[in-house]
């Protein structure tokens, strides 16, 4: 057992950082035994030094993160600041100073993962980020290491807890979006500005990271098609129920049938109640991975929160410390396939379209013809009429997204179509 401690700089001490510090202190003996050397919190960089931080020696607190990284004795930096800057500059500074990095920063990894991986490799260091996707759920390492001998063809997951909480409330109580959001805010699940969650940005960043790992290629945030869930209505849930479905905000990553490209998307979708993801309630996350040899795997657990996210950070810290003692590094970026990311128009799936139409002879035929003209085959049609108007719900067979968009555009131009009430993809069948 080495007695000289491995020294850790904690960059950020908010909800996650304070839990990391607490676990490092309370589990110090176990961490030492598991690593084979003591691990010591050597400095904590914060923005507000006057804030009381229980359990943290005030002598460790500094506002100068750069000086902490440059002082010459730090082995590992844990970045739990979030956002692009100053996190990016600090991680780069860490690598330049021979320091491996644990990061929980999905936005930064989705935007600049390739450059950060390259910097880690140049300096012979580790960059680990289990906490960046789905909080406590072991997902990055199982995909990167346990499934390294397999071929992942599809990943479909609920990777945002806030939106899952809102959608679950809408499903179970019949509430509208705003009412469910208000409850999520009151309970602390949604932030005061919920945009990153409800508009799908948070899920899209996680999708980009997972797609890169799953398909051994580079997928940037801009490559991920994104639709939020603010337009999902109580009426959509009623329609979903009639079809034996519920609605989830899904991240879906697919390898094309010919294996020559991939797609990455985040949007609300109906899924059958029999699908394992349908039973993921409240703020939980779950990711369904389909691999050629392994078959279907499901990863499930808390996707956010201080302690769960700290669990993933600590796992990475232990892994990096073990690598350091072995004078090795863990797996770096694997992007050798260089598969292009196809646009959303190429995605093939099923659709549930709800139309308000005039209830008179020939309307159904006109609507059906419009679908046929765009090569979209109809699976089922349900019509309910009232006072000369009708609502028409069409569920299609699988069709390219571009064909569906063309169909909807043409439907909107028909005099007999008063409006397109909702369009939702149907997944997981
Ligand atoms: N806001 C995220 C969520 C957690 O609701 O899942 C951090 O990514």
């Amino acid at each position: 057992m080495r007695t000289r401690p491995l020294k850790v700089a904690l960059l950020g001490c908010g909800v996650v950082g304070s839990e990391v510090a607490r676990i490092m202190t309370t589990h110090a003996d176990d961490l030492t035994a598991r690593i084979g050397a003591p691990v010591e919190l050597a400095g904590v960089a914060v923005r507000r030094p006057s804030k009381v931080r229980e359990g943290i020696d005030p002598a460790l607190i500094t506002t100068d993160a750069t000086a902490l990284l440059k002082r010459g004795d730090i082995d590992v930096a844990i970045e739990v600041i979030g956002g692009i800057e100053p996190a990016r500059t600090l991680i780069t500074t860490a690598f330049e100073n021979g320091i491996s990095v644990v990061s929980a920063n999905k936005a930064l990894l989705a935007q600049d993962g390739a450059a950060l991986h390259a910097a880690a490799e140049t300096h012979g260091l580790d960059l680990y980020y289990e906490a960046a996707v789905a909080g406590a759920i072991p997902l990055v390492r199982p995909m990167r290491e346990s499934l390294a001998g397999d071929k992942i063809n599809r990943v479909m997951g609920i990777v945002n807890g806030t939106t899952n909480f809102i959608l679950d409330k809408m499903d179970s109580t019949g509430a509208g979006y705003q009412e469910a959001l208000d409850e999520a805010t009151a309970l602390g699940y949604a932030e005061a500005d919920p945009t990153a969650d409800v508009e799908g940005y948070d899920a899209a960043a996680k999708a980009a990271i997972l797609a890169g790992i799953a398909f051994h290629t580079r997928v940037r945030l801009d490559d991920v098609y994104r639709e939020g869930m603010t337009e999902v209505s109580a009426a959509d849930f009623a329609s979903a129920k009639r079809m034996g479905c519920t609605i989830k905000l899904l991240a879906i990553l697919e390898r094309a049938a010919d294996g020559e490209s991939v797609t990455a998307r985040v949007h609300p979708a109906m899924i059958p109640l029999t699908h394992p993801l349908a039973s993921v309630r409240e703020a939980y996350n779950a990711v369904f991975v389909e691999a050629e040899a392994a078959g279907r795997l499901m990863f499930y657990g808390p996707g956010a929160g201080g302690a769960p996210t700290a669990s993933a950070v600590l796992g990475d810290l232990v892994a990096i410390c073990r690598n350091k003692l072995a004078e090795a590094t863990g797996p770096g970026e694997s992007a050798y396939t260089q598969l292009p990311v196809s646009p959303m128009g190429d995605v093939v799936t099923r659709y549930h379209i709800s139309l308000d139409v005039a209830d008179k002879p020939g309307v159904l035929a006109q609507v059906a013809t419009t679908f046929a003209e765009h090569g979209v085959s109809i699976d089922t049609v349900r019509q309910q009429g009232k006072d000369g108007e009708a609502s028409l719900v069409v569920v299609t067979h699988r069709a390219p997204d571009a064909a569906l968009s063309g169909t909807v555009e043409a439907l909107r131009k028909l005099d007999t179509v008063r409006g397109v009430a909702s369009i939702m993809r149907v997944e997981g069948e």
Side-chain angles (χ1 to χ4, degrees), residues 24-366:
M24 281 186 71
T25 310
T26 55
H27 295 191
D29 292 345
D30 285 325
L31 292 173
T32 301
R34 291 170 197 175
I35 291 167
V39 61
E40 176 189 313
L41 189 58
V44 182
V46 299
R47 255 189 324 182
R48 284 182 296 139
S50 53
K51 187 174 160 191
V52 177
R53 294 184 165 84
E54 210 180 307
I56 298 179
D57 180 354
L60 297 181
I61 304 287
T62 175
T63 52
D64 194 344
T66 307
L68 174 60
L69 296 171
K70 286 186 171 176
R71 74 184 210 188
D73 64 341
I74 302 296
D75 296 289
V76 185
I78 296 175
E79 183 271 307
V80 281
I81 302 169
I84 305 301
E85 286 294 353
R88 175 169 47 197
T89 303
L90 290 174
I91 291 176
T92 308
T93 305
F95 291 143
E96 286 164 359
N97 287 272
I99 299 168
S100 284
V101 172
V102 179
S103 174
N105 194 330
K106 66 221 152 217
L108 179 57
L109 283 153
Q111 184 175 305
D112 279 331
L116 295 176
H117 275 293
E121 198 175 330
T122 301
H123 296 281
L125 296 162
D126 277 326
L127 170 62
Y128 276 48
Y129 45 89
E130 183 64 70
V133 185
I137 306 174
L139 184 61
V140 171
R141 200 160 315 130
M143 282 175 61
R144 212 154 78 142
E145 299 182 31
S146 314
L147 292 169
D150 207 334
K151 184 177 181 187
I152 296 174
N153 287 321
R154 195 160 193 268
V155 178
M156 182 159 96
I158 296 165
V159 292
N160 183 272
T162 306
T163 48
N164 201 53
F165 181 89
I166 295 169
L167 291 170
D168 184 37
K169 279 290 153 220
M170 291 174 75
D171 190 22
S172 58
T173 67
Y177 165 71
Q178 191 59 49
E179 195 187 329
L181 171 63
D182 290 345
E183 185 175 347
T185 311
L187 293 172
Y189 287 112
E191 292 180 31
D193 177 0
T195 309
D197 293 318
V198 300
E199 294 296 353
Y201 292 101
D202 175 82
K206 293 164 181 171
I209 296 169
L210 287 181
I213 297 169
F215 306 129
H216 299 269
T217 192
R218 280 197 185 135
V219 179
R220 286 172 52 93
L221 186 53
D222 293 347
D223 296 324
V224 181
Y225 173 82
R226 178 195 54 78
E227 260 177 47
M229 43 71 73
T230 56
E231 304 290 319
V232 177
S233 66
D236 290 327
F237 270 101
S239 275
K241 279 206 171 109
R242 276 194 289 272
M243 284 179 61
C245 289
T246 187
I247 299 170
K248 296 290 186 190
L249 183 72
L250 297 178
I252 304 173
L253 322 167
E254 288 171 310
R255 192 190 290 277
D258 65 5
E260 297 298 315
S261 62
V262 298
T263 53
R265 52 191 164 117
V266 167
H267 54 70
M270 292 185 182
I271 52 167
L273 293 171
T274 49
H275 193 283
L277 289 176
S279 57
V280 178
R281 309 287 307 271
E282 302 192 328
Y284 280 87
N285 283 194
V287 179
F288 200 67
V289 177
E290 297 178 39
E292 205 167 82
R296 295 171 165 189
L297 309 167
M298 174 117 144
F299 300 85
Y300 172 86
T309 309
S311 163
V313 168
L314 265 295
D316 281 352
L317 175 65
V318 170
I320 288 182
C321 288
R322 286 172 175 163
N323 291 345
K324 266 209 158 345
L325 294 187
E327 295 180 6
T329 51
E333 187 190 30
S334 171
Y336 70 94
T337 63
Q338 295 182 26
L339 292 171
V341 184
S342 300
M344 186 62 192
D346 290 359
V347 166
V348 175
T349 189
R350 299 179 67 205
Y351 302 84
H352 174 285
I353 300 129
S354 190
L355 305 168
D356 296 322
V357 297
D359 193 3
K360 56 185 192 186
V363 173
L364 191 54
Q366 214 180 15

